[in-house]
């Protein structure tokens, strides 16, 4: 595949979904995805062998999350994403807003903490190092809403509307770094909101919803800005290869529409997950309250009835 300025691929035929889904693996992401699946599988197998339960839904969610990354980075969607703004925007939206949610619903940190063996007194193994990282000042900062929300927004505006995007797209290493950044930003943004894995910040459900909706409108505004532009705004996609048969401005408008539409997708997914978690939390609280009432013979109710009886006697 020939490359020209900004790493552009010059001999791709016009885009179709079939061509986009053809196999074309990026070695870095292929190895990373296989390693992620292998480590998660090892953790689940270790729990199963010692008789512990692990929810099937978590495993399915994590596997689908990893496969969503592979779909974006190990097919020709990745090749077309180098020269078509619209395809690149699909990659960006999936990797930063869908893949992280699916991965987090898989609770990989919880699995690691349960599967990794303790190193023993006075020693530090992988489990102890993971706990140190979770409780570190660094993690408290990078998962705080005051950091994650601006980072989430800056990943759009500061990247696409400055020369930084063209610089990163000019090399394979830069492109990989950008995609890893998208995934990492999505993970740290949604991690405190999803609330499945332990973390430094665990706000209440209402606050999590507010954090979610604080970042989403900026995706819509970004998409609208691209759709309303009267000229190409990103140098990398200004002159698409003639073999694609596309117009740069029309493709940019399509990219804007994708960014705008995708701002709703994670909102719905996360909101449903939060409502389910909230309901499950209230159910657990009610069950604990019922068990406590059974243990103490419903003491609170008895005390309240005695109080009413004393008022009646005084009356």
């Amino acid at each position: 595949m020939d490359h020209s300025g900004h790493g552009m691929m010059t001999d791709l035929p016009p885009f179709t979904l079939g061509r986009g889904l053809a196999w074309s693996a990026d070695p870095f992401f292929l190895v990373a995805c296989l390693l992620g699946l292998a480590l998660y599988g090892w953790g689940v197998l270790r729990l199963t062998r010692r008789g512990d339960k692990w929810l099937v839904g978590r495993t399915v969610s994590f596997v689908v999350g990893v496969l969503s990354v592979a779909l974006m980075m190990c097919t020709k969607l990745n090749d077309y994403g180098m020269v078509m703004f619209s395809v690149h925007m699909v990659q960006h939206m999936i990797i930063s807003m869908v893949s992280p949610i699916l991965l987090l619903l898989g609770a990989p940190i919880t699995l690691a903490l349960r599967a990794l063996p303790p190193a023993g007194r006075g020693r530090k193994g992988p489990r102890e190092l993971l706990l140190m990282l979770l409780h570190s000042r660094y993690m408290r900062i990078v998962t705080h809403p005051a950091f994650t929300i601006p980072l989430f927004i800056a990943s759009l505006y500061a990247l696409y509307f400055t020369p930084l995007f063209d610089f990163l797209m000019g090399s394979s290493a830069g492109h990989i770094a950008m995609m890893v950044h998208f995934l990492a930003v999505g993970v740290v943004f949604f991690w405190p909101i999803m609330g499945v894995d332990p973390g430094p910040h665990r706000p209440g459900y209402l606050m999590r919803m507010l954090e979610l909706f604080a970042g989403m409108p900026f995706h819509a505004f970004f998409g609208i800005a691209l759709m309303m532009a009267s000229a190409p705004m990103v140098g990398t996609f200004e002159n698409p290869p003639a073999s694609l048969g596309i117009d740069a401005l029309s493709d940019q408008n399509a990219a804007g529409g994708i960014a705008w539409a995708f701002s709703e997708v994670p909102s719905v997914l996360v909101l449903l997950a939060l409502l389910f978690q909230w309901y499950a939390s209230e159910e657990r609280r009610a069950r604990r309250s019922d068990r406590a009432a059974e243990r103490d013979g419903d003491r609170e109710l008895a005390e309240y009835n005695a109080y009413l009886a004393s008022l009646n006697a005084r009356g």
Side-chain angles (χ1 to χ4, degrees):
M1 194 70 71
D2 295 325
H3 291 254
S4 59
H6 304 304
M8 294 181 81
M9 301 180 179
T10 58
D11 59 350
L12 286 169
F15 178 81
T16 64
L17 186 59
R19 287 170 180 160
L21 295 179
W23 181 255
S24 179
D26 177 278
F28 175 87
F29 278 97
L30 179 61
V31 171
C33 288
L34 291 174
L35 185 60
L37 290 174
L39 289 173
Y40 195 93
W42 171 84
V44 173
L45 189 62
R46 185 174 171 84
L47 290 188
T48 305
R49 281 179 173 173
R50 72 182 188 210
D52 289 347
K53 290 183 178 179
W54 185 254
L55 295 174
V56 175
R58 287 182 174 180
T59 303
V60 171
S61 180
F62 186 85
V63 170
V64 174
V66 172
L67 292 179
S68 69
V69 175
L71 180 67
M72 293 298 107
M73 301 306 302
C74 294
T75 65
K76 282 195 175 291
L77 287 174
N78 192 38
D79 297 342
Y80 279 99
M82 297 295 289
V83 289
M84 291 181 65
F85 202 173
S86 55
V87 178
H88 168 84
M89 192 56 65
V90 171
Q91 286 183 285
H92 180 170
M93 294 296 109
I94 294 291
I95 283 183
S96 69
M97 300 173 77
V98 176
S99 302
I101 294 171
L102 293 168
L103 294 173
L104 289 166
L105 285 173
I109 294 174
T110 301
L111 178 63
L113 291 174
R114 289 181 60 185
L116 289 170
R121 185 175 296 177
R123 290 186 295 169
K124 290 178 181 175
R127 188 177 189 278
E128 287 70 26
L129 293 173
L130 178 58
L131 283 169
M132 284 175 60
L133 178 62
L134 287 174
H135 293 105
S136 66
R137 179 180 295 180
Y138 165 78
M139 198 58 72
R140 284 199 298 273
I141 292 171
V142 300
T143 59
H144 195 281
F147 180 86
T148 60
I149 294 173
L151 181 66
F152 195 66
I153 297 165
S155 290
L156 287 172
Y157 296 89
L159 182 64
Y160 288 98
F161 297 158
T162 70
L164 180 59
F165 182 84
D166 294 330
F167 171 75
L168 292 172
M169 289 290 279
S171 69
S172 177
H175 185 238
I176 289 170
M178 178 166 55
M179 291 300 174
V180 170
H181 169 79
F182 290 155
L183 183 62
V185 168
V187 167
V188 297
F189 177 76
F190 289 111
W191 181 9
I193 296 172
M194 300 302 294
V196 178
D197 274 327
H201 295 283
R202 194 57 79 240
Y205 289 101
L206 191 58
M207 186 57 67
R208 292 186 206 177
M209 292 179 188
L210 291 174
E211 287 179 24
L212 171 66
F213 291 118
M216 291 303 110
F218 291 94
H219 266 265
F221 298 151
F222 170 77
I224 291 168
L226 290 179
M227 291 166 71
M228 293 183 66
S230 57
M233 299 178 71
V234 179
T236 296
F237 303 114
E238 268 184 343
N239 300 297
S243 64
L244 291 173
I246 60 169
D247 172 66
L249 188 58
S250 299
D251 190 51
Q252 178 175 281
N253 290 341
I258 290 164
W260 174 74
F262 254 95
S263 64
E264 304 300 324
V265 174
S267 303
V268 174
L269 288 175
V270 176
L271 196 57
L272 287 173
L274 282 178
L275 290 172
F276 178 78
Q277 289 174 21
W278 199 345
Y279 173 76
S281 173
E282 291 300 316
E283 285 281 294
R284 287 193 299 271
R285 184 180 299 176
R287 284 197 297 270
R288 283 197 300 267
S289 178
D290 289 343
R291 285 195 298 269
E294 287 173 7
R295 283 195 304 270
D296 61 20
D298 229 344
R299 189 178 60 202
E300 282 188 17
L301 182 58
E303 288 175 353
Y304 182 65
N305 286 334
Y307 170 69
L308 291 178
S310 69
L311 289 180
N312 188 47
R314 280 202 295 263

